[in-house]
Amino acid sequence: MKLSIKLFILLGAFSLAAAVVYGFLTQFDELVGFPGLLAVGAMSFMLAVYLWLVDRNTGGVLPEDKLDGEIVESAGEYGHFSPWSWWPLLLGIGCALAFLSLAIDWWMLMLAAPVVVVALLGLIFEYSRGDHAH
């Protein structure tokens, strides 16, 4: 993780330096590249800070930081996922329709929005009703 932190800091610094050079070369008239490079730099620094906070909270050396680390050392529970749930598929279809509406026309977003809302509500309240309620 320490290598990832250093890489994201390096990427952020490079992006900010490239943004300044790009801005001066275009006299800050071009309004896509300069803000885009600034956004990449800001996001890289955000990821570096997040990884630094996670590294600080985990305390010890993680398996990916050791040269002789094994994949099996990272084994463990990563979260709870319902293997029988169909809601993620419906949510993916709704999001695909929503992004497709960007390419086709706005009216398609009205078809995608109800699908996304129903799928999101179904996914959120999946364990609040039926056989698996608790």
Side-chain angles (χ1 to χ4, degrees):
M1 188 171 308
K2 294 183 188 334
L3 178 64
S4 299
I5 295 169
K6 291 175 186 174
L7 285 174
F8 279 117
I9 289 173
L10 185 64
L11 178 65
F14 174 77
S15 296
L16 292 181
V20 170
V21 170
Y22 187 82
F24 279 117
L25 289 176
T26 60
Q27 285 85 31
F28 297 97
D29 287 335
E30 204 271 316
L31 297 176
V32 175
F34 177 68
L37 285 169
L38 287 179
V40 168
M43 287 184 238
S44 297
F45 284 128
M46 285 190 325
L47 282 170
V49 168
Y50 170 74
L51 290 175
W52 175 73
L53 289 172
V54 169
D55 183 49
R56 189 179 68 169
N57 289 337
T58 55
V61 177
L62 297 176
E64 54 263 23
D65 291 332
K66 297 189 295 188
L67 293 176
D68 60 343
E70 296 288 330
I71 294 174
V72 74
E73 293 179 53
S74 295
E77 186 173 329
Y78 286 101
H80 175 73
F81 305 99
S82 301
W84 41 264
S85 179
W86 287 91
W87 293 113
L89 178 65
L90 188 62
L91 185 61
I93 290 170
C95 289
L97 286 173
F99 282 109
L100 191 63
S101 72
L102 295 174
I104 296 177
D105 205 359
W106 67 269
W107 61 268
M108 199 163 179
L109 191 61
M110 291 185 195
L111 297 174
V115 175
V116 169
V117 169
V118 167
L120 196 56
L121 287 174
L123 188 64
I124 290 171
F125 295 113
E126 186 169 26
Y127 289 104
S128 299
R129 58 184 171 72
D131 296 335
H132 304 287
H134 52 274

